[in-house]
Amino acid sequence: MSGGGWTGDPGSDGGVWTPGASESAASPRTPAPGSPGASTGSGNRGDGGGGNGDGNGGGDGDGEVPSEKFSWLRIGPKSPEFDALQPDHVYDLIQRHNCDRAQRQYDVKGSERRAEAPATWNLLKGLIGICFAVQGNEGGWKTAIESYREVRGITTGDCKYQAGYDLLKQVGSFLLEHPDGKVEFGEAPTGPGSAACPYRVTDLYFPIGNVDEAAPGDIVEVHGTWPSEVRHVFLDGKKQDVRPLSEGDEDKACCHKGITLFEVPQNLQPGTEVKKITLAGDGFELTAPRGFTVKAP
């Protein structure tokens, strides 16, 4: 797994972090008090002095240190950079282990605006805490537990929220039950179906006033989520070039809630029904939910 600051013995598929270890491990920076990665107690993951977060103290009592291995946060795919202060983009920063920048975005958002979606931002606060914790800042575990308590049971949200909730629930539940346990992280899941958000074309947008109709030369917008940049659009199997987005909007092309443009070919006759629209990129093809009819200019 990428990212620095791991302690323990990195395995072939990830690293190891023991939450109860000393806070002498190096950390990229010390977060400000009250921020997701900041420690507000003794460095243990709880509200008391070395307990399970409930103030009851103590370890597991059997002499063995329990351990659990989790997959890292699922790949989004990435949301456009223009969405920098939105939850989806902060999720991407955490997924890439960019803890410092994720925290900055969290702080810049401000408490008033975060209060508009408290569950989402509490979830992100906990994930930022985990991000800092695996880089050596023990206070992150406490933040993760506190945030898990805030969002526990709030499972309704978009795809990245649900993926983040799954990880926070796994880590938070384990640390509450095993305050002296060992947490291990492997790589993020890969392969078909492993992304937090499904790859699909969600909708088509035609020139104003048209419903599933477009004339030769018209520009059609395709919205959806894809794993990487869309290279070509196929209309009933015939390849069309992707049109560039307007200046300043280039970042919207990829990949979560992305936009792709294509021009209706000049040689299509009015009345032609385009039944299949396919987006293609490196190693993927996605089919739109519907086609369109060519109308006269």
Side-chain angles (χ1 to χ4, degrees):
M1 176 157 72
S2 61
W6 288 86
T7 63
D9 300 319
S12 59
D13 57 354
V16 178
W17 180 259
T18 304
S22 169
E23 287 192 296
S24 62
S27 178
R29 74 179 177 92
T30 301
S35 60
S39 174
T40 57
S42 65
N44 295 305
R45 304 153 319 285
D47 299 323
N52 64 2
D54 295 315
N56 294 323
D60 289 277
D62 57 5
E64 296 182 4
V65 177
S67 64
E68 192 70 48
K69 186 171 186 175
F70 307 104
S71 296
W72 185 242
L73 203 57
R74 295 162 69 184
I75 295 170
K78 83 174 188 70
S79 295
E81 295 283 342
F82 82 93
D83 234 5
L85 290 182
Q86 297 304 314
D88 287 340
H89 182 66
V90 177
Y91 175 102
D92 297 338
L93 294 172
I94 301 167
Q95 201 282 326
R96 297 196 296 267
H97 308 280
N98 196 336
C99 316
D100 286 328
R101 188 174 173 193
Q103 181 174 291
R104 284 197 298 271
Q105 300 291 14
Y106 177 92
D107 292 338
V108 169
K109 186 71 175 180
S111 58
E112 290 188 6
R113 287 187 291 176
R114 292 197 302 265
E116 296 171 1
T120 297
W121 287 99
N122 279 330
L123 173 71
L124 290 171
K125 181 179 180 181
L127 295 176
I128 295 171
I130 294 174
C131 186
F132 275 116
V134 298
Q135 292 190 1
N137 191 303
E138 282 275 285
W141 299 118
K142 178 179 174 64
T143 299
I145 290 178
E146 291 173 345
S147 295
Y148 174 53
R149 286 183 173 133
E150 292 290 336
V151 303
R152 183 160 43 189
I154 306 176
T155 58
T156 302
D158 67 10
C159 47
K160 290 187 178 181
Y161 178 93
Q162 292 181 9
Y165 182 86
D166 288 344
L167 180 61
L168 185 62
K169 178 182 178 181
Q170 290 174 335
V171 174
S173 298
F174 176 77
L175 294 180
L176 284 171
E177 185 175 357
H178 306 289
D180 297 318
K182 181 174 69 175
V183 176
E184 300 179 68
F185 283 98
E187 299 284 353
T190 58
S194 62
C197 303
Y199 301 138
R200 63 186 179 187
V201 177
T202 56
D203 212 344
L204 302 171
Y205 292 88
F206 299 91
I208 295 175
N210 297 333
V211 179
D212 293 349
E213 289 185 331
D218 281 348
I219 303 299
V220 178
E221 284 190 14
V222 186
H223 290 218
T225 294
W226 23 86
S228 59
E229 184 178 352
V230 175
R231 302 293 185 184
H232 300 287
V233 176
F234 292 86
L235 304 180
D236 287 336
K238 295 181 180 179
K239 185 169 72 173
Q240 313 295 324
D241 290 333
V242 172
R243 291 290 301 268
L245 296 175
S246 302
E247 184 176 354
D249 288 340
E250 298 91 346
D251 197 48
K252 297 180 182 179
C254 186
C255 289
H256 178 223
K257 300 179 182 178
I259 300 174
T260 292
L261 307 180
F262 70 87
E263 181 178 342
V264 178
Q266 295 287 348
N267 60 359
L268 288 183
Q269 298 299 313
T272 300
E273 291 187 8
V274 177
K275 297 181 179 180
K276 186 177 181 180
I277 303 173
T278 304
L279 274 58
D282 295 338
F284 75 90
E285 289 187 352
L286 299 171
T287 301
R290 64 186 192 280
F292 66 95
T293 300
V294 180
K295 69 170 191 173

